[in-house]
């Protein structure tokens, strides 16, 4: 049995070569714990705002007629605005810092800040002093912290594994993210239902401390990737120019933005769970796991697969499926079907995420990876946050089902436009080489 178990473990590591590297393994474990905590915090914040605004309504006058807006939908949508504004303001600066400073050390500081903010939320919720305004403010500060953390974290990965293991590392990171988004919402739903949101906030703070510990144990002590670059406008503009001129990279970023702006149903989940499906907070937590469950299944297949050859075509198809599955989710009034379609969005999104990130990392020089990632961050994080505001406004006027369905259909149509507008992306074959980035 021992010999068989050892053999199976060794075989698994051969199929997952990125985990053979100690520093990447530590980073992966730390990210897994922190992702679970962050997802728990996200669910807690959404439900907290929903509870604080339950039964409230806003009235606006248009052409002399009063229109009543659902305060819950509008309030949840405004969370997206609180997250995106700091990202727009600080993401590019975070990218420059990721290229000009020690990425590991920068991540330690950002995780310390995230732990402090989660601790403040826990204290406010426990004391009964939490308000919607306070939650918005802390959410905005947390988004600013993420703007400095994400470029450093993503740019660090290629420094921890050899080039030939990068696709596997990105697949494992995507899988880790989805495992976290399954476990986090499920735990949050149970804990909020049985205890209180303050418990969830406290556990989130602890998870960020664990991430700091994993970073401290790493042997990697790399310096700045771009040693002769300052923090001025020239460094920032260099990253913008590279990203825009790399047409394949630019096309993947547009796909990111369109899909996440129009097709993200996450914001409406509390309303879908309570008002459409009638399953309450625990059902909300369970429904929130549908997308990551589908993502994990797709992630496992990708992690064990050697490669995807026609990456451009597979990328476009997966984004189109994501949009159509979102539209079907918006039409469903049966929990099982809603869970199935929501899971399909997760599977399609995982395939597109692995391909997009692999293309970008392979076609970007190390000294520009932080800045490229920061530009992409505005797209892939700005899209869903602005999308939350858009979804909230549309849902407040026309209802959540219309908001979700119309967004999914818009994503499918815009994917077809990207396929037509960027033929090199459509024809992209894996690892074409750096020359592809400039065409």
């Amino acid at each position: 049995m021992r010999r068989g178990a050892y053999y199976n473990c060794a075989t698994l590591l051969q199929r997952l070569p990125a985990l053979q590297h100690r520093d990447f393994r530590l980073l992966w474990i730390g990210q897994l714990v922190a992702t679970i905590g962050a997802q728990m915090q996200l669910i807690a914040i959404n439900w907290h705002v929903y509870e604080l605004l339950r039964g409230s309504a806003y009235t606006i006058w248009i052409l002399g007629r009063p229109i009543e807006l659902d305060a819950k939908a509008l309030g949840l949508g405004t969370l997206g605005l609180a997250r995106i504004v700091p990202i727009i303001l600080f993401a590019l600066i975070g990218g420059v810092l990721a290229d000009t400073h020690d990425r590991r050390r920068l991540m330690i500081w950002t995780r310390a800040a995230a732990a402090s903010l989660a601790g403040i939320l826990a204290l406010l919720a426990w004391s009964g002093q939490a308000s919607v305004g306070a939650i918005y403010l802390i959410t905005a500060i947390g988004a600013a912290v993420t703007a400095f953390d994400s470029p450093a974290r993503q740019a660090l990965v290629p420094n921890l594994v050899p080039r030939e293991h990068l696709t596997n590392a990105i697949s494992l990171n995507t899988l880790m993210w989805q495992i976290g988004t399954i476990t986090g919402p499920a735990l949050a739903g149970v804990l909020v239902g049985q205890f209180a949101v303050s418990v969830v906030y406290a556990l989130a703070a602890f998870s960020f401390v664990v991430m700091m510990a994993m970073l401290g144990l790493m042997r990697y002590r790399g310096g700045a990737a771009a040693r002769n670059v300052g923090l001025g406008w020239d460094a920032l503009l260099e990253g913008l120019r590279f990203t825009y001129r790399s047409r394949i990279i630019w096309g993947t970023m547009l796909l990111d933005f369109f899909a996440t702006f129009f097709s993200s149903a996450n914001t409406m989940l509390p309303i879908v769970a309570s008002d459409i499906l009638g399953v309450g907070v625990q059902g909300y937590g369970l429904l929130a796991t549908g997308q990551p469950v589908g993502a994990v299944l797709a992630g496992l297949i990708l992690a064990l697969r050697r490669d995807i050859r026609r990456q451009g075509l597979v990328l476009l198809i997966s984004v189109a499926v994501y949009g159509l599955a979102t539209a079907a989710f918006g039409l469903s009034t049966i929990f099982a079907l809603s869970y199935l379609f929501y899971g399909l969005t997760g599977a399609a999104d995982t395939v597109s995420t692995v391909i997009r990130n692999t293309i970008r990392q392979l076609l970007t020089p190390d000294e520009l990876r932080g800045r490229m990632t920061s530009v992409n961050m505005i797209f892939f994080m700005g899209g869903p946050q602005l999308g939350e505001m858009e979804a909230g406004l549309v849902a407040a006027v026309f209802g959540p089902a219309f908001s979700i369905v119309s967004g999914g259909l818009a994503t499918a149509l815009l994917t077809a436009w990207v396929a037509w507008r960027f033929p090199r992306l459509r024809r992209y074959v894996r690892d074409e080489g750096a020359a592809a980035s400039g065409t």
Side-chain angles (χ1 to χ4, degrees):
M1 289 292 293
R2 291 181 180 177
R3 182 176 299 177
Y6 175 81
Y7 174 79
N8 291 333
C9 183
T11 302
L12 181 61
L13 286 177
Q14 289 177 355
R15 299 294 298 272
L16 304 174
L19 289 178
Q20 297 177 13
H21 305 280
R22 178 183 181 273
D23 282 349
F24 177 79
R25 192 163 60 246
L26 287 170
L27 179 66
W28 193 86
I29 294 170
Q31 282 185 280
L32 176 61
V33 175
T35 299
I36 292 172
Q39 290 301 306
M40 290 173 63
Q41 180 173 298
L42 177 64
I43 293 295
I45 285 175
N46 286 350
W47 189 260
H48 203 172
V49 170
Y50 174 80
E51 284 289 305
L52 289 172
L53 294 176
R54 183 193 291 270
S56 301
Y58 301 116
T59 302
I60 62 174
W61 293 79
I62 298 179
L63 299 177
R65 292 186 174 184
I67 297 179
E68 189 174 274
L69 301 179
D70 186 343
K72 301 188 301 294
L74 196 59
L76 288 169
T78 305
L79 277 173
L81 186 64
R83 293 181 180 120
I84 184 53
V85 171
I87 290 173
I88 293 174
L89 292 175
F90 298 110
L92 296 179
I93 300 173
V96 175
L97 287 174
D99 286 337
T100 57
H101 290 72
D102 185 333
R103 292 162 178 167
R104 185 192 66 90
R105 186 174 300 172
L106 181 59
M107 288 177 63
I108 292 175
W109 282 107
T110 57
R111 291 304 85 197
S116 300
L117 292 171
I120 293 172
L121 278 172
L123 288 174
L124 288 175
W126 176 75
S127 64
Q129 300 299 311
S131 65
V132 173
I135 294 175
Y136 285 162
L137 176 61
I138 295 174
T139 297
I141 298 173
V145 171
T146 302
F148 292 99
D149 177 80
S150 187
R153 174 167 43 82
Q154 295 189 45
L156 179 63
V157 172
N159 300 136
L160 305 181
V161 299
R163 180 185 178 91
E164 62 268 22
H165 295 163
L166 181 59
T167 299
N168 184 251
I170 292 173
S171 297
L172 285 167
N173 273 348
T174 304
L175 179 62
M176 169 273 301
W177 169 261
Q178 301 302 348
I179 291 173
T181 53
I182 290 175
T183 310
L187 285 174
V190 172
L191 291 172
V192 171
Q194 297 296 322
F195 301 100
V197 291
S198 59
V199 175
V200 177
Y201 294 143
L203 289 174
F206 174 74
S207 74
F208 301 143
V209 173
V210 172
M211 178 66 179
M212 292 172 59
M214 294 297 104
L215 290 167
L217 290 172
M218 288 170 56
R219 293 172 183 157
Y220 176 79
R221 294 293 187 273
R227 299 181 182 277
N228 298 319
V229 177
L231 295 176
W233 282 103
D234 289 342
L236 190 149
L237 291 175
E238 184 183 8
L240 290 172
R241 283 193 296 267
F242 169 80
T243 302
Y244 179 73
R245 291 172 181 173
S246 304
R247 301 301 292 166
I248 291 178
I249 294 177
W250 185 248
T252 66
M253 291 185 181
L254 287 178
L255 276 176
D256 249 349
F257 182 80
F258 291 147
T260 54
F261 179 81
F262 288 106
S263 223
S264 177
N266 297 344
T267 303
M268 296 296 108
L269 281 188
I271 298 176
V272 171
S274 290
D275 298 351
I276 296 177
L277 300 177
V279 292
V281 62
Q282 293 181 334
Y284 165 47
L286 178 60
L287 182 62
T289 67
Q291 191 173 72
V293 163
V296 164
L297 294 176
L300 283 171
I301 294 172
L302 290 176
L304 295 173
R305 185 183 175 93
R306 291 189 177 274
D307 214 333
I308 301 173
R309 179 165 176 77
R310 301 194 64 183
Q311 292 187 347
L313 181 61
V314 175
L315 170 61
L316 291 163
I317 291 173
S318 63
V319 177
V321 170
Y322 177 77
L324 295 174
T326 298
F329 172 77
L331 292 171
S332 173
T333 57
I334 301 172
F335 183 86
L337 285 178
S338 297
Y339 194 91
L340 176 64
F341 289 129
Y342 200 48
L344 184 57
T345 67
D349 184 54
T350 293
V351 174
S352 67
T353 297
V354 171
I355 295 175
R356 291 193 311 262
N357 288 343
T358 301
I359 290 173
R360 292 167 190 156
Q361 296 290 0
L362 288 176
L363 299 183
T364 304
D366 186 46
E367 64 272 14
L368 285 167
R369 281 196 178 112
R371 281 165 285 180
M372 180 277 295
T373 301
S374 69
V375 176
N376 178 57
M377 187 178 179
I378 295 176
F379 282 83
F380 90 86
M381 295 195 71
Q385 306 312 328
L386 287 174
E388 287 183 8
M389 189 65 189
E390 178 268 342
L393 288 172
V394 174
V397 178
F398 299 104
F402 180 88
S403 174
I404 296 169
V405 172
S406 61
L409 294 177
T411 297
L413 291 174
L414 287 167
T415 301
W417 176 82
V418 171
W420 168 77
R421 183 65 180 81
F422 295 87
R424 286 301 300 270
L425 175 60
R426 187 176 68 246
R427 296 192 296 264
Y428 180 83
V429 178
R430 62 174 172 83
D431 203 8
E432 284 186 343
S437 64
T439 57

